[in-house]
Amino acid sequence: MPMQVLVVEDDDRIREVLRLALEDEGYRVAEAADTPAALEQIRTAMPDLMMVDLMLGEVDGYTCIREVRRLSDIPIVVVSARSDTHDIVAGLEAGADDYVTKPFQIKEITARLRALRRRLRTSAEAAEPDIVLDSDPGRSLVLSTSRGTVMLDGQDVNLTVTEYRLLAELAKPPGRVLSRSALLASVWEHGYYGDERIVDVHIRRLRTKIERDPGRPQLVMTVRGMGYRLDPR
């Protein structure tokens, strides 16, 4: 069955353009004009992917993304006229996987969605030995690429697809230093033509979920002037 994309956009004209373009690419498309309608779609007919504008009236797109993240780890792409770095970082911090600014080219939108689909597929198809990230008996942390999971003391850590792919890339094998540009090329795949700090935002989010003390990381290390390195304990 074709993948379903939920388009959350309050501008009827833009929503129609996106619907027609996505259907032409073979997607099934669900629509929502505001945050409450989007959350209802998430609860009742979980889509495979989601696109969301940030300016949605009374309950903005940031809130929409945060609420969706309480319910699901589906890939989320922001499509917004807000192009300031602060807005981009805020959207990613809220839980989005990618960010496209308006006006946009339909080919860029579909390329981003295809890349997210590849991330989903490769995460599901990976079949390598489990990697112990933290061996402390009181706080064991295990990355399983065969199951596409990260387990903390036997409980699933709720990572987004991008966070999982970022951790998996740093872990093959651990100990390598990877630059932001290298991570963009391998994790985002289609390329990202904006601020490389998109990597920093996702690293920061990842640390809040797997580090003992995110403010003093011991697993995902920053190598000044070079990039990031994974140091299993």
Side-chain angles (χ1 to χ4, degrees), residues 33-118:
D34 54 34
T35 293
L39 295 177
E40 182 63 21
Q41 291 267 9
I42 293 291
R43 294 188 184 99
T44 60
M46 183 67 71
D48 300 294
L49 304 161
M50 178 176 168
M51 300 175 61
V52 59
D53 187 18
L54 294 179
M55 295 178 283
L56 292 174
E58 292 184 7
V59 185
D60 64 23
Y62 299 112
T63 303
C64 181
I65 295 168
R66 284 192 290 267
E67 290 301 313
V68 169
R69 280 288 169 251
R70 296 177 188 273
L71 303 170
S72 172
D73 62 355
I74 66 169
I76 299 175
V77 178
V78 169
V79 182
S80 177
R82 296 182 175 181
S83 57
D84 184 80
T85 297
H86 171 78
D87 295 312
I88 296 173
V89 170
L92 297 171
E93 289 277 18
D97 293 280
D98 213 337
Y99 198 109
V100 178
T101 57
K102 298 177 182 176
F104 55 80
Q105 297 290 327
I106 288 296
K107 287 185 178 180
E108 180 182 11
I109 296 286
T110 55
R112 304 269 175 140
L113 291 179
R114 282 195 297 272
L116 283 170
R117 289 177 64 177
R118 285 195 296 272

